[in-house]
Amino acid sequence: MKGQQKLTDQVEDAALRISKLIRETPLQYSSRLSQKYHANIYIKREDLQEVRSFKIRGAYNKISSLNEAEKKRGIVCASAGNHAQGVARSCFELKIKGAIFMPRITPTQKMDKVKQFGGEYITVHLTGEIFDDAYTASVEYGKKEKAVYIHPFDDTDVIAGQGTVGKEICQQLENIDVVVVPIGGGGLISGVGSYLKSKNPYISVVGCEPQGAASMKKALHHGEVTKLEKIDPFVDGAAVMKVGGITYEICTNIIDDIVVIPEGKVCTTMIELYQSDGIIAEPAGALSIAALDNIANVIKNKTVVCILSGGNNDILRYPDIMERSLVYLGLKHYFIIQFAQKPGQLRGFLNEALGPNDDIVLFEYVKKTNREKGPALVGIELKKKTDLKPLMEKMDTMQLRYRKIESEDIVYNLLV
């Protein structure tokens, strides 16, 4: 199509423009994943960029395209972290002043890196709890200060910059069947998908989103850009309440399928990547690999490229990542247990209900006063998922009054 070819030409131009600063990242063959899924699976390692994500491609392409008058006005952007680092590094390289708005929940590691990359050329403003809050504040600032807005995804120059990932993939590998791309606002998949489809229309472009922020899935389902009522910000690099208008229009023509991944599955994949491959992926970066289970039948005997979009993960998040993974795998459960007011109830629970490999990882009386009559919050870690049923059957046999805390319970969010 004419529009798709135009974007492909813009990607070619962007590749030349950003070559001074951008690294060509490796396309790494994964023996482990290839054997697991009976396919030829490659990982595009965008976590190995200087700023440890693909976002610098679009940011630098956009900012370096500004005329002198625009550069003097300075720039402003909003970001959950990776776009901010790309903008900060670009501002430093081009000696342009920039204001960067980030949600307060942004991992400390990302905030520190933004300041490191931008130095004296950038100022960081923390506002709101999610990307959309920071975006609103940044737009208001831009209007007030007459700064040029650098959108993280809904801009053709940014999309073209991200599309250079697709150009590199084409240069590194022939006969690609499937490419799996994470989606936040849609900039990466718009650029990569358009470029790959222009070279081979038979390539299947599969998008993947976190379950708690599946904004592109909803938009395509409704036939228009639709804002989510709420999101789970855990996969911060892809937690966007509303995709872009430009990216939506492009995606309607290039996406063959979208899969939605539970946050716990993302955490399990992050742990596997680290333990098996020595790869430190951020949650959004692990999305494409986490999606493989959903398309296992589709990719069998095919050549697949998964874009690992970023590796900016704060080490302080790993306890939360481990927790979410165990819950997702069915190995960790929480109960409210009312022990009867008679001797030996707790000892009986330990000796009669718990299996030989079950472990209590949390025990706390709910009431701080009058503990004797208050229920207890108990967290139990199992060796196998199938150990849950025997545990609950033994608790029933003991006639314990208990309630398993499910994910929809309000208190559950305080635990996980």
Side-chain angles (χ1 to χ4, degrees), residues 55-75:
K55 284 287 190 176
I56 192 171
R57 295 174 181 267
Y60 188 66
N61 188 51
K62 175 65 177 180
I63 297 173
S64 61
S65 300
L66 301 178
N67 60 42
E68 291 305 314
E70 290 172 324
K71 290 177 180 178
K72 287 181 180 179
R73 285 162 50 193
I75 63 95

Side-chain angles (χ1 to χ4, degrees), residues 1 77 87 109 120 123 144 151 160 162 164 206 222 274 311 342 384 398:
M1 292 184 295
C77 76
V87 168
Q109 184 262 0
E120 63 184 292
T123 55
K144 180 182 177 182
H151 201 283
Q162 320 302 29
T164 59
V206 178
H222 285 270
Y274 178 71
K342 59 182 181 180
K384 303 189 302 292
M398 290 182 63

Side-chain angles (χ1 to χ4, degrees), residues 7-19 24-25 27 44 57 159-173 176 188 191-199 307:
L7 182 53
T8 299
D9 293 339
Q10 290 176 301
V11 171
E12 298 286 359
D13 293 339
L16 293 174
R17 187 177 296 114
I18 69 177
S19 60
E24 178 179 323
T25 55
L27 188 63
K44 181 60 171 169
R57 295 174 181 267
I159 293 169
Q162 320 302 29
T164 59
V165 175
K167 176 177 169 60
E168 287 184 13
I169 292 171
C170 278
Q171 293 171 336
Q172 293 168 321
L173 184 65
I176 303 165
L188 179 63
V192 170
S194 294
Y195 189 88
L196 292 178
K197 289 277 192 180
S198 72
K199 300 301 179 183
I307 299 179

Side-chain angles (χ1 to χ4, degrees), residues 323-324 326-327 331-337 361-363 376-381 388 395 402-406 409 411-412 414-416:
E323 174 85 6
R324 287 173 178 260
L326 288 170
V327 170
L331 300 179
K332 197 168 190 178
H333 303 273
Y334 293 95
F335 298 87
I336 296 290
I337 302 176
V361 293
L362 175 67
F363 189 96
L377 172 62
V378 183
I380 299 175
E381 188 171 320
L388 176 63
M395 291 168 68
Y402 70 92
R403 179 166 68 87
K404 184 174 179 294
I405 301 176
E406 303 294 350
D409 293 337
V411 69
Y412 186 83
L414 301 176
L415 300 170
V416 180

